[in-house]
């Protein structure tokens, strides 16, 4: 029996753990399984592995080694950055600024902070998903303590002018955090050049294992312990370290950065080929996110008169795995807050598809996917009463490219 075709185009949800990463991790499950807090050599081997991983990760980000703190995921890093910093700086003020297109790890943290009496400003974005730095300047108040802006959007791929935004926050003496979970290993990240105070990352978005992430906290930023217990992570994040995970995260980042230029160039060519073909060959579609200021592997397109969930399921039948928005948001029938924030009407937001490529994706995969999309969209539109109305001239088409 021939194997079922599978084209994985959901690398923003998670990525495959590369074999060299698994290989680097294995000894820390089976041989070097000591607890890094144990004083005998067996524990010290594990401790050294963590120190080595911390130094390598820091180097890739141009950070000071001691400023990298390991966490269990990007969600934890985001929660820590917001909640613990809000707590540590509350005597200065209780106002936090973020954007309308953050990941739920930020959105739900700010909603929780609002319940605790903090005031949150959500900066709007334009139709491409970009924040106008002038809106940040205007939103800062004497009681603003923190600005948190996503570096690269997980749904529409738009890249924010982080350096410029951080400079504005700092000119007013306000701390700046960026959720770089989709950006690390996909864009060059230099924390000194960006001049950010905190930056979140997560290994499973760049071919490392699930269940491990990091938070960069610049020296001098006051932050409370997020988990209380042992003295791990310089008493700032208690809990026995995920040694294999941390080793795997460093190995994954090493591998990604070693072939960064080729990988990104390959993804950009395929991304643009996919965008160009769909825009040229399918009617009533719209590219979401900025055309060039976007993640190298992100494509997000809305198809009018098509329901996103049906599109996904039909594509899956053809072996193409994609997403209708953020993986974390799937299962919810509400349209994505990111697509609404860029001004899409509900019905168009519902017909959106996110395809995120990887180093393994080939041009044949892309061409196959375009043919599958064309076929599936045509079939679904044939069953759509809205499309029927449109064809009969009874309903005006939305302004879509
Ligand atoms: N932030 C962004 C931008 C993300 O895309 C994700 C995951 O999709 C997260 C945070 C959460 O990361 P994790 O899955 O490691 O908790």
């Amino acid at each position: 029996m021939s194997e079922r075709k599978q084209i994985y185009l959901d690398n923003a949800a998670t990525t495959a753990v590369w074999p060299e990463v698994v290989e680097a991790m294995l000894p820390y499950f089976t041989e070097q399984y000591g607890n890094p807090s144990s004083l005998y050599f067996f524990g010290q081997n594990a401790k050294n592995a963590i120190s080595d991983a911390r130094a390598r990760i820091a180097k890739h980000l141009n950070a000071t080694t001691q400023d990298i703190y390991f966490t269990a995921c990007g969600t934890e890093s985001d929660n820590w950055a917001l909640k613990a910093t809000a707590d540590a700086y509350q005597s200065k003020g209780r106002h936090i600024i973020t954007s309308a297109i953050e990941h739920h790890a930020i959105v739900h943290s700010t909603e929780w902070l609002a319940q605790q009496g903090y005031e949150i400003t959500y900066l709007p974005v334009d139709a491409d998903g970009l924040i106008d730095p002038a809106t940040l300047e205007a939103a800062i108040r004497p009681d603003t303590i923190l600005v948190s802006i996503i570096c690269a959007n997980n749904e529409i791929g738009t890249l924010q002018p982080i350096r410029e935004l951080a400079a504005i926050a700092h000119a007013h003496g306000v701390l700046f955090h960026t959720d770089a979970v989709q950006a690390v290993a996909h864009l060059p990240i230099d924390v000194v050049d960006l001049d950010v105070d905190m930056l979140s990352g997560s290994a499973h978005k760049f071919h490392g294992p699930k269940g491990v992430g990091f938070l960069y906290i610049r020296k001098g930023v006051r932050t409370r312990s997020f988990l209380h217990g042992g003295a791990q992570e310089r008493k700032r994040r208690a809990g026995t370290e995920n040694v294999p995970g941390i080793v795997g995260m460093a190995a994954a980042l090493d591998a990604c950065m070693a072939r960064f230029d080729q990988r990104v160039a390959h993804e950009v060519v395929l991304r643009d080929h996919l965008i160009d073909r769909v825009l040229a060959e399918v009617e009533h579609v719209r590219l979401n996110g900025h055309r060039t200021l976007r993640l190298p592997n992100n494509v997000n397109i809305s198809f009018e008169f098509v329901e996103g969930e049906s599109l996904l399921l039909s594509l899956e039948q053809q072996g193409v795995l994609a997403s209708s928005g953020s993986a974390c948001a799937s299962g919810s029938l509400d349209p994505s807050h990111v697509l609404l924030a860029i001004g899409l009407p509900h019905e168009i937001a519902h017909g959106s598809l996110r395809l995120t490529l990887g180093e393994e994706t080939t041009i044949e995969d892309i061409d196959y996917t375009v043919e599958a999309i064309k076929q599936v969209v045509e079939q679904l539109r044939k069953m759509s009463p809205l499309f029927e109305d449109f064809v009969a001239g009874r309903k005006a088409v939305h302004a879509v490219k």
Side-chain angles (χ1 to χ4, degrees):
M1 210 173 77
S2 70
E3 218 178 279
R4 195 165 170 248
K5 191 172 187 71
Q6 179 173 302
I7 298 177
Y8 183 73
L9 295 179
D10 205 11
N11 284 278
T14 198
T15 56
V17 182
W18 279 335
E20 64 261 50
V21 174
V22 175
E23 208 176 306
M25 292 171 71
L26 279 177
Y28 295 93
F29 287 109
T30 52
E31 295 156 24
Q32 300 292 343
Y33 53 83
N35 187 322
S37 298
S38 302
L39 292 181
Y40 42 79
F41 80 94
F42 197 45
Q44 293 307 296
N45 288 350
K47 189 174 178 179
N48 293 341
I50 294 178
S51 304
D52 179 57
R54 198 187 310 276
R56 279 154 53 208
I57 290 169
K59 194 154 182 260
H60 289 303
L61 305 171
N62 195 23
T64 303
T65 303
Q66 288 73 19
D67 294 349
I68 301 293
Y69 295 85
F70 294 124
T71 63
C73 52
T75 299
E76 183 189 326
S77 304
D78 284 348
N79 272 259
W80 186 8
L82 263 62
K83 295 177 183 171
T85 311
D87 187 37
Y89 286 84
Q90 59 177 306
S91 60
K92 183 188 169 216
R94 291 186 143 237
H95 179 231
I96 294 171
I97 301 173
T98 183
S99 82
I101 59 161
E102 298 295 313
H103 186 270
H104 280 145
I106 296 288
V107 178
H108 293 159
S109 294
T110 52
E111 286 172 357
W112 183 85
L113 284 165
Q115 287 164 9
Q116 311 309 309
Y118 289 82
E119 248 187 281
I120 316 293
T121 298
Y122 296 93
L123 298 180
V125 293
D126 68 12
D128 288 329
L130 274 173
I131 293 167
D132 176 354
T135 61
L136 173 60
E137 180 86 54
I140 294 179
R141 314 188 316 208
D143 61 340
T144 307
I145 50 172
L146 178 65
V147 176
S148 178
I149 303 289
I150 191 165
C151 183
N153 186 267
N154 49 300
E155 294 190 43
I156 57 173
T158 299
L159 312 180
Q160 299 301 335
I162 293 299
R163 190 186 297 106
E164 208 180 326
L165 296 170
I168 292 171
H170 289 157
H172 294 269
V174 175
L175 291 174
F176 192 92
H177 164 254
T178 185
D179 173 350
V181 166
Q182 292 291 341
V184 172
H186 299 275
L187 302 171
I189 300 281
D190 179 329
V191 293
V192 175
D193 179 50
L194 291 176
D195 199 20
V196 293
D197 300 296
M198 288 173 285
L199 179 143
S200 305
S202 178
H204 77 103
K205 307 293 188 182
F206 53 85
H207 302 281
K210 293 167 185 60
V212 60
F214 68 85
L215 180 64
Y216 160 77
I217 309 178
R218 189 215 297 262
K219 187 167 184 260
V221 171
R222 263 187 283 142
T223 179
R224 301 256 194 263
S225 248
F226 192 54
L227 293 182
H228 301 102
Q232 292 92 351
E233 299 300 286
R234 301 165 68 219
K235 297 197 182 149
R236 283 181 143 182
R237 196 274 186 186
T240 300
E241 299 88 339
N242 173 1
V243 184
I246 290 167
V247 168
M249 179 157 66
L253 196 53
D254 283 347
C256 282
M257 299 318 284
R259 42 187 199 267
F260 183 84
D261 291 344
Q262 307 96 288
R263 193 166 50 87
V264 167
H266 170 76
E267 288 176 355
V268 167
V269 167
L270 296 190
R271 176 196 72 185
D272 292 345
H273 182 64
L274 176 52
I275 292 174
D276 291 345
R277 275 203 65 187
V278 174
L279 294 190
E281 297 174 39
V282 187
E283 280 189 312
H284 315 307
V285 296
R286 177 195 199 276
L287 175 69
N288 297 317
H290 196 278
R291 184 68 185 80
T292 52
L293 294 173
R294 73 187 298 133
L295 280 168
N297 69 339
N298 173 290
V299 176
N300 188 314
I301 294 181
S302 293
F303 297 83
E304 211 176 352
F305 313 113
V306 171
E307 223 276 302
E309 301 298 307
S310 317
L311 185 54
L312 269 196
L313 294 176
S314 307
L315 283 175
E316 188 192 352
Q317 306 242 300
Q318 309 241 17
V320 177
L321 304 184
S323 162
S324 62
S326 162
C328 320
S330 67
S332 148
L333 289 177
D334 291 337
S336 138
H337 65 286
V338 174
L339 298 177
L340 296 182
I342 60 171
L344 292 195
H346 277 228
E347 62 275 25
I348 306 227
H350 270 305
S352 302
L353 184 68
R354 179 186 74 179
L355 304 133
T356 42
L357 328 179
E359 185 182 61
E360 298 83 357
T361 313
T362 63
I363 188 91
E364 290 77 23
D365 291 341
I366 297 299
D367 285 329
Y368 176 92
T369 301
V370 174
E371 294 306 326
I373 289 174
K374 284 163 66 177
Q375 195 188 325
V376 165
V377 168
E378 193 187 329
Q379 267 169 11
L380 293 173
R381 282 183 178 160
K382 272 191 194 144
M383 295 186 291
S384 156
L386 286 178
F387 190 59
E388 205 183 303
D389 279 359
F390 166 69
V391 172
R394 289 191 289 263
K395 187 173 182 290
V397 66
H398 287 284
V400 287
K401 294 188 237 176

